[in-house]
Amino acid sequence: MKTRHILPAALLMLLPAMADAQVVVNEFCASNDTLEVMGQTCDWIELYNAGVEAVNLKGYALSDNPKKPQKYVINNDVMIYPGCFKMVLCNGLGTDLNTSFRLSADGSEFVVFADPSGNVIDEIAIPTLNRDYSYGRIADGGASWGTFDISTPGETNSAQMPLTPMPVINKRAGFYTQTLSVGITCPDPNAVIHYTTTGTEPVESSVTYTKPISVSSTKVLRAMAVAPGMKPSKIATATYFINCRKLDLPIVCITTDRKNFYDNKIGIYVAGTNGVAGPCTDGQRRNWHQDWERPIHVEYFDKNKKLQLSQDAGIKITGSCSRNNDMKSLRIIARKEYGDNRLRYKFFDKKDITEFKSIVLRNGGNDFGGTMIRDGLVTGLAGESLNVDVQAFQPAAVFLNGEYLGLHNIREKVSTHFVEENYGPNSDEIDLLENKWTVIDGKNAEFSSLMAFVKNNSLANQANFDKVAAQIDIDNFIDYWCAQIYIDNEDWPNNNIKFYKPRGQNAKWRWVMFGAEFSCGVYGGRPDVNSIHHDIDANTGRLGSSDWGGLLMRKLLQNEAFKNKFIQRMSYVIDHTYNPDRVYEFADSLRSLMYNEWGNHYKKYYGWINQGDWSNRINSLIDWFNNRPGYCREHVRQYFGLSGSHNVEVSADNNAVKFSVNGTMPTANISGKYFGGATLEISAKLPEGLAIDHWEVGGSSSHAEQVFGFEDIWNYYDEGNAPAQDWKTAASAPSGFKAG
């Protein structure tokens, strides 16, 4: 995006203030995202001297509150000459030409300008403004105001034609039980209003509004206005559901020209006549494989049918082979050129995120003709108990121009913005890679260098292992692999891989678990598949197998401590993460949530999978998890040559104590089977102010053994390398050990 740089005019303080000069607010921007003004990207106010004499602005004041007109006072000599402009930044700093307040573009504030005596010169209500739009006098210093889609800080407004004010539709979008009479007005009485009811953007040749519109059935109303000497307004859009069927889920309404979806030449949703080849089409060219983006208006109603979001945005088809399904996955993108550059709503109950760059309306991928819950189920359970990054999940009913499009799953888009929204690092400072470290954003040089080192060095050597561990999040990598192995993801580990690292000295690579529905028997796969062999070993012949996909894991397993941690973490994933009771509870909750909507969805796309059939498919999925634990445990035992499993229970007399196994993420009391023949190290994490008195080992209090007590004396070695002696079995401390 091209950025303009506006430099401040020289501040000459040579003349005294002159009387009878007229300085006014000429233009302001209350939501500046991209335009750099005086070296900063922030909101701003432009003052203009419409008089014939210079004015010293010392003592003049600006405010966002009419009741406090002198909120920010210019304390130094600042001259503004006739016909000239002076920029004031609204950044909250409270210094010279930097106000102590910021502006809001939501239509709730004012711009107030007062003279040194506190007399108000200007008091302008800030209208609702899109990002980077400004509001200003149509002629510099004139009486008429308008909204500008191209702002002109420090320059004349007269070179730009303002937008006609957006028309106002007097009935809020929503759900109604009777015919509506909908009126449309425009703040500019000279404007002519045009409208459509088909989703198409209205233009000057569209129907002219002359009287209220009768809406007796579900319909989308779109209106624009155009006044003499002004550009056409932004379009107002409202979807009305009249006597609508029962809807239990949130509702997403997409409004766009029907051609944007279904036209053979430009439509994104059809095979069409203007396509390209893509995955799973045997070279056939399809429109839906094009990376096309089309303009839409999106409305979001929560499960209580309350309108929470209404804004212009862009839309794309997304996915790989799943693009070939009758119902496509759609990505909704907020961009500045549409208005707001964020979708500002908390779509997911389980994440405290209120702003998204984009969301995905997913068709379930490989599970489209199955349950449509697999990916949400397996990633959701992993996200609750493991150190993995996952997308949030929210089923919704989706409508296109008022017509039902189907049941979709709202998901986050895995991107650099996903990382920023979830964890904080700036999206511009993140390297995001996929599969065989192909660049999505940023660079892959650092990871490529790391993999070259991994390939050419043994990680049984601790120094080599430490070099790798300094660059990847070991716990995240282990948990990510354990989950994928357990669910038997057949479209992995040479596909559906995304991993990222914020740029910085202490940052490490982390992996995101996504698109995991080609798993747990989606196409009839049995729970006894030895996925640990298929995933780790090279070129086993299965879909997801390759040499490079398991290379990093194979090399890390050369390190004994890493191998022990991985083995025992598999025990945790088997016993806890995908415990059959947890799977049933979550799967059954999703079944209850989506059951009624499935009754409408299946009729549109596959009439043979009615609600009963769909519920039985979920039962089959649950059964897969019921039968999986024993097989997976035996596969791990065989792969590593272990002796079997042992029941382990660890608890404390204080419920706030958490335990870590082999240094993994601390959890509450430990109870489960752990593998014999692999080291099991248990440590406790205590709340501040508490200390361990002692550990007890035994089956009951009457047969308990105190292992060590509080303030016991230990022998230890801290020279940075392993001692030469067989110190683990020595009766007393070998030479070089200290006591403390």
Side-chain angles (χ1 to χ4, degrees):
M1 181 178 293
K2 184 177 180 181
T3 301
R4 291 187 290 154
H5 301 269
I6 310 300
L7 300 178
L11 303 180
L12 301 180
M13 296 173 243
L14 302 176
L15 301 176
M18 302 293 179
D20 302 323
Q22 186 181 359
V23 179
V24 295
V25 173
N26 200 53
E27 186 182 8
F28 56 82
C29 178
S31 185
N32 181 21
D33 263 4
T34 61
L35 185 61
E36 188 175 302
V37 180
M38 295 170 61
Q40 296 186 45
T41 304
C42 62
D43 301 341
W44 47 266
I45 297 171
E46 175 192 85
L47 301 178
Y48 175 69
N49 187 345
V52 296
E53 297 177 328
V55 173
N56 188 341
L57 293 175
K58 183 175 182 179
Y60 282 76
L62 287 162
S63 177
D64 59 354
N65 186 346
K67 296 180 180 179
K68 299 178 181 179
Q70 292 179 301
K71 199 169 184 178
Y72 164 74
V73 178
I74 301 173
N75 290 318
N76 295 322
D77 293 310
V78 177
M79 300 305 299
I80 181 169
Y81 295 93
C84 292
F85 308 91
K86 188 62 60 181
M87 299 301 302
V88 181
L89 303 182
C90 302
N91 51 20
L93 296 179
T95 58
D96 290 345
L97 299 182
N98 294 268
T99 68
S100 55
F101 57 87
R102 296 178 173 85
L103 299 179
S104 172
D106 64 3
S108 64
E109 292 186 352
F110 293 79
V111 171
V112 181
F113 182 50
D115 67 17
S117 299
N119 300 310
V120 173
I121 299 170
D122 272 325
E123 181 182 308
I124 309 107
I126 303 175
T128 302
L129 294 172
N130 287 340
R131 300 271 159 171
D132 292 337
Y133 280 30
S134 66
Y135 191 62
R137 299 177 189 271
I138 296 174
D140 297 329
S144 298
W145 287 74
T147 299
F148 295 90
D149 57 349
I150 301 176
S151 57
T152 56
E155 300 174 0
T156 180
N157 295 352
S158 303
Q160 295 295 329
M161 185 181 291
L163 293 170
T164 302
M166 182 186 292
V168 177
I169 301 175
N170 72 348
K171 290 288 191 300
R172 186 176 176 85
F175 295 77
Y176 296 87
T177 58
Q178 58 188 12
T179 298
L180 297 179
S181 178
V182 183
I184 312 174
T185 58
C186 182
D188 189 326
N190 297 315
V192 177
I193 299 170
H194 303 274
Y195 72 93
T196 65
T197 57
T198 60
T200 303
E201 294 186 0
V203 293
E204 291 184 55
S205 60
S206 300
V207 177
T208 300
Y209 174 81
T210 57
K211 63 180 181 180
I213 301 163
S214 177
V215 179
S216 58
S217 61
T218 297
K219 191 170 294 185
V220 181
L221 178 60
R222 310 193 80 182
M224 58 79 74
V226 60
M230 292 185 175
K231 297 178 183 178
S233 72
K234 298 286 287 183
I235 296 170
T237 302
T239 300
Y240 299 108
F241 290 90
I242 309 297
N243 293 317
C244 182
R245 63 173 173 82
K246 183 179 180 181
L247 287 162
D248 299 322
L249 298 174
I251 300 102
V252 179
C253 295
I254 299 166
T255 300
T256 190
D257 190 322
R258 186 175 175 83
K259 291 181 180 179
N260 288 330
F261 267 57
Y262 299 119
D263 182 79
N264 277 334
K265 187 174 182 179
I266 68 168
I268 65 174
Y269 215 82
V270 293
T273 58
N274 195 21
V276 295
C280 307
T281 54
D282 295 325
Q284 297 296 311
R285 301 164 70 88
R286 299 286 186 262
N287 281 18
W288 58 64
H289 287 305
Q290 292 276 19
D291 187 29
W292 288 340
E293 182 172 328
R294 299 291 182 245
I296 64 166
H297 187 87
V298 58
E299 296 160 298
Y300 184 87
F301 298 87
D302 64 22
K303 63 183 179 181
N304 297 316
K305 301 184 178 63
K306 182 178 180 181
L307 181 64
Q308 298 289 359
L309 180 80
S310 179
Q311 71 180 75
D312 292 340
I315 199 164
K316 288 183 174 185
I317 302 291
T318 188
S320 183
C321 291
S322 65
R323 291 171 182 249
N324 299 300
N325 293 334
D326 289 344
M327 189 180 84
K328 320 299 180 189
S329 293
L330 298 164
R331 179 186 174 193
I332 296 176
I333 312 151
R335 300 191 193 278
K336 176 240 175 182
E337 50 262 43
Y338 298 121
D340 201 340
N341 66 349
R342 291 292 185 275
L343 301 167
R344 301 178 192 275
Y345 179 67
K346 187 178 182 296
F347 294 100
F348 309 106
D349 291 339
K350 293 184 178 181
K351 288 193 175 183
D352 293 325
I353 303 173
T354 57
E355 297 181 2
F356 297 85
K357 179 66 177 176
S358 64
I359 57 172
V360 173
L361 307 177
R362 196 161 189 262
N363 64 4
N366 291 288
D367 199 24
F368 172 65
T371 69
M372 282 186 65
I373 72 168
R374 258 182 181 79
D375 186 44
L377 174 72
V378 298
T379 60
L381 289 170
E384 287 180 357
S385 67
L386 300 178
N387 185 3
V388 293
D389 301 332
V390 299
Q391 303 158 286
F393 178 89
Q394 173 60 61
V398 178
F399 290 80
L400 174 65
N401 294 333
E403 297 180 1
Y404 185 56
L405 193 61
L407 171 63
H408 296 63
N409 296 322
I410 305 177
R411 312 301 300 270
E412 296 166 277
K413 170 66 178 175
V414 180
S415 65
T416 55
H417 293 286
F418 166 86
V419 181
E420 178 179 338
E421 289 156 5
N422 280 272
Y423 307 110
N426 189 293
S427 60
D428 294 330
E429 298 297 324
I430 296 167
D431 293 327
L432 175 65
L433 311 180
E434 66 177 345
N435 297 337
K436 197 174 182 181
W437 36 104
T438 300
V439 174
I440 298 176
D441 276 297
K443 299 179 180 179
N444 66 0
E446 188 176 321
F447 192 80
S448 296
S449 176
L450 172 63
M451 290 305 297
F453 177 84
V454 167
K455 185 175 182 179
N456 296 315
N457 292 274
S458 171
L459 301 192
N461 179 290
Q462 190 63 36
N464 290 341
F465 177 85
D466 290 344
K467 181 174 180 178
V468 175
Q471 298 179 67
I472 73 171
D473 188 322
I474 291 292
D475 289 344
N476 164 258
F477 188 74
I478 287 176
D479 283 4
Y480 170 76
W481 266 78
C482 288
Q484 299 276 25
I485 288 170
Y486 188 81
I487 65 172
D488 185 33
N489 187 351
E490 297 185 53
D491 202 11
W492 179 90
N494 68 351
N495 190 36
N496 283 342
I497 307 166
K498 288 187 180 180
F499 51 109
Y500 67 90
K501 186 179 77 65
R503 294 174 206 135
Q505 289 184 337
N506 298 319
K508 296 183 178 183
W509 293 98
R510 286 181 60 89
W511 278 257
V512 182
M513 187 178 180
F514 76 101
E517 76 281 347
F518 201 147
S519 65
C520 39
V522 66
Y523 294 129
R526 294 162 55 90
D528 60 353
V529 174
N530 189 346
S531 49
I532 192 168
H533 158 61
H534 286 301
D535 294 338
I536 296 178
D537 294 341
N539 300 317
T540 62
R542 197 166 77 149
L543 174 66
S545 179
S546 66
D547 176 58
W548 61 267
L551 176 62
L552 181 55
M553 176 56 79
R554 290 196 301 274
K555 299 291 286 190
L556 286 166
L557 285 170
Q558 294 174 345
N559 183 273
E560 192 69 17
F562 177 91
K563 182 174 72 173
N564 288 329
K565 178 180 281 193
F566 172 78
I567 289 170
Q568 301 298 13
R569 196 59 169 170
M570 278 299 306
S571 293
Y572 179 82
V573 169
I574 295 169
D575 274 344
H576 182 72
T577 304
Y578 295 112
N579 178 283
D581 290 340
R582 294 188 76 229
V583 171
Y584 174 81
E585 182 180 3
F586 193 8
D588 195 50
S589 71
L590 294 177
R591 171 165 44 198
S592 298
L593 182 67
M594 299 164 63
Y595 185 83
N596 287 336
E597 193 57 41
W598 190 269
N600 297 282
H601 174 79
Y602 90 88
K603 293 175 185 176
K604 185 174 180 67
Y605 290 106
Y606 23 65
W608 65 94
I609 310 177
N610 61 29
Q611 286 164 298
D613 294 328
W614 175 70
S615 182
N616 287 334
R617 289 174 184 234
I618 293 177
N619 288 336
S620 296
L621 173 61
I622 293 169
D623 286 342
W624 191 94
F625 281 99
N626 288 336
N627 293 305
R628 179 64 169 166
Y631 291 118
C632 189
R633 195 182 306 280
E634 179 61 16
H635 297 154
V636 175
R637 188 196 68 78
Q638 291 177 356
Y639 192 85
F640 292 105
L642 304 173
S643 60
S645 298
H646 305 277
N647 291 321
V648 176
E649 293 188 11
V650 182
S651 61
D653 57 6
N654 186 311
N655 292 332
V657 176
K658 292 188 175 182
F659 297 96
S660 175
V661 175
N662 290 14
T664 54
M665 186 169 62
T667 59
N669 296 345
I670 296 171
S671 179
K673 291 182 178 180
Y674 286 86
F675 290 104
T679 301
L680 183 68
E681 296 179 357
I682 299 174
S683 58
K685 182 178 181 181
L686 282 69
E688 187 175 354
L690 294 183
I692 295 174
D693 182 72
H694 65 277
W695 292 76
E696 292 182 353
V697 178
S700 67
S701 58
S702 60
H703 293 87
E705 175 187 352
Q706 181 168 309
V707 181
F708 63 84
F710 182 54
E711 294 187 340
D712 280 354
I713 301 300
W714 288 74
N715 294 308
Y716 63 93
Y717 185 89
D718 61 355
E719 296 302 317
N721 57 345
Q725 301 94 337
D726 186 11
W727 60 274
K728 293 183 180 180
T729 58
S732 59
S735 61
F737 275 63
K738 302 172 185 176

